[in-house]
């Protein structure tokens, strides 16, 4: 007797969403090798709901679908706003296989239910949390079509949850330069992970050896020091404030207060 009917029934049952994949050995959608350790099976699972939350969740979601689009898998974005096209390309997404829909928040579930029939992956920022019955119907369709749905907000029924817990940008030092990469710490069922998103080339990259730990709060590198210096900076220049008793003829190059003011002027000049 064929086991196909039993497998099909199991794949539709709540709590055994991976039954079909276990029997048929359906591989997950490929992801960038840097992001692969985030997933229990090394890739984006098919027939399942995955959540990616926290700061930079949109960038992480786009980077997650990039490899699949390059393999000509069709992906759609719902409720993502209007992300910069150049940034999407930098993350490795093939725009020929990615559709971004400007969908009102109250319509995301209806639109997603329609796109599930034809798209391999859907990346959605839900405008509201679906009810239990709505969620059950959604998950049933995802399993039936064996497609992948990534939610950028927490949602019950997800089989894998990726949470970005900390970020630290680098490149802009004391108000000069430009942001080049972001060190990210993420937590998933496979543990805690660190990677660059974006890396120097835009796509995810491994963390170079010797890189410092992520600073909680996501403050760009250099900004924290400048902010601390700003809190301790004098209100006026040390060579003009008579209250400081500074001799104008004195060399101020070694005065730490003057160094602080110089850095602040650079920051103000850069921002202006």
């Amino acid at each position: 007797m064929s086991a196909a009917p039993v497998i099909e029934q199991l794949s539709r049952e709540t709590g055994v969403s991976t039954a079909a994949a276990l029997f048929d050995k359906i591989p997950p959608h490929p992801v960038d090798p840097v992001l692969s350790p985030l997933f229990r099976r090394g890739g984006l699972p098919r027939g399942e709901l995955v959540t990616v939350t926290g700061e930079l969740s949109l960038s992480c979601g786009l980077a997650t679908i990039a490899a699949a689009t390059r393999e000509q898998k069709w992906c759609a974005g719902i409720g993502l706003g209007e992300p910069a096209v150049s940034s999407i390309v930098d993350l490795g997404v093939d725009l020929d296989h990615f559709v971004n829909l400007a969908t009102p928040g109250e319509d995301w579930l209806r639109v997603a239910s329609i796109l599930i029939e034809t798209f391999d992956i859907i990346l959605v920022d839900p405008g509201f949390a679906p009810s239990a019955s709505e969620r059950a119907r959604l998950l049933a369709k995802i399993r039936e079509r064996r497609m992948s749905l990534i939610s950028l907000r927490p949602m019950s029924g997800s089989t894998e949850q990726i949470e970005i817990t900390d970020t630290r940008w680098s490149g802009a030092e004391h108000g000069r330069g430009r942001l080049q990469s972001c060190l990210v710490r993420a937590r998933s069922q496979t543990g805690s992970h660190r990677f660059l998103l974006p890396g120097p080339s835009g796509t995810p990259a491994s963390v170079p050896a010797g890189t410092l730990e992520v600073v909680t709060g996501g403050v760009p590198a250099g900004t924290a020091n400048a902010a601390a210096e700003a809190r301790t900076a004098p209100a006026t220049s040390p060579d003009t404030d008579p209250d400081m008793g500074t001799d104008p003829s004195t060399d101020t190059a070694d005065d730490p207060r003057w160094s602080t003011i110089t850095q602040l002027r650079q920051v103000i000049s850069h921002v202006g």
Side-chain angles (χ1 to χ4, degrees), residues 8-266:
E8 187 64 21
Q9 180 180 356
L10 286 173
S11 68
R12 294 171 181 271
E13 293 293 333
T14 302
V16 288
S17 59
T18 62
L22 291 174
F23 278 95
D24 297 344
K25 300 186 184 301
I26 299 174
H29 288 298
V31 298
D32 189 286
V34 173
L35 302 180
S36 180
L38 293 170
F39 299 91
R40 288 178 295 182
R41 281 173 276 163
L44 184 62
R46 304 190 190 193
E48 300 178 32
L49 167 66
V50 174
T51 59
V52 180
T53 59
E55 190 176 0
L56 294 184
S57 59
L58 176 56
S59 294
C60 188
L62 289 169
T64 297
I65 70 173
T69 62
R70 295 196 297 270
E71 291 196 357
Q72 300 184 349
K73 301 297 183 182
W74 281 97
C75 303
I78 301 175
L80 307 183
E82 298 181 2
V85 174
S86 59
S87 298
I88 297 176
V89 173
D90 286 344
L91 290 169
V93 176
D94 178 8
L95 294 182
D96 288 337
H97 291 84
F98 177 72
V99 177
N100 186 41
L101 301 175
T103 304
E106 62 271 17
D107 288 339
W108 81 265
L109 185 58
R110 180 176 61 86
V111 174
S113 298
I114 295 173
L115 296 183
I116 284 174
E117 301 292 337
T118 53
F119 279 78
D120 300 291
I121 304 172
I122 294 177
L123 178 63
V124 58
D125 187 356
F128 63 89
S131 65
S133 59
E134 290 172 334
R135 187 172 62 250
R137 289 193 295 270
L138 179 68
L139 294 176
K141 294 189 70 172
I142 293 172
R143 288 192 294 268
E144 179 183 359
R145 302 301 301 178
R146 295 180 183 175
M147 55 84 62
S148 303
L149 191 145
I150 304 174
S151 172
L152 300 183
R153 296 180 186 273
M155 188 178 300
S156 299
S158 59
T159 56
E160 300 205 34
Q161 302 88 35
I162 299 172
E163 180 188 6
I164 298 178
T165 57
D166 293 292
T167 60
R168 190 186 73 194
W169 286 91
S170 62
E173 301 295 340
H174 302 297
R176 290 188 174 183
R178 61 186 181 87
L179 297 178
Q180 296 178 341
S181 62
C182 185
L183 178 60
V184 173
R185 178 180 289 279
R187 182 172 56 238
S188 68
Q189 276 82 355
T190 60
S192 181
H193 307 272
R194 292 198 310 160
F195 52 90
L196 298 180
L197 180 69
S201 63
T203 57
S206 299
V207 178
T211 301
L212 296 177
E213 287 292 318
V214 171
V215 178
T216 301
V219 180
T223 303
N225 291 337
E229 291 163 353
R231 287 193 295 270
T232 60
T236 58
S237 174
D239 60 347
T240 59
D241 188 353
D243 293 336
M244 292 186 179
T246 302
D247 186 351
S249 63
T250 303
D251 184 6
T252 59
D254 296 329
D255 191 327
R257 297 173 299 176
W258 182 254
S259 175
T260 297
I261 292 175
T262 301
Q263 292 175 3
L264 287 173
R265 284 175 175 172
Q266 292 172 351

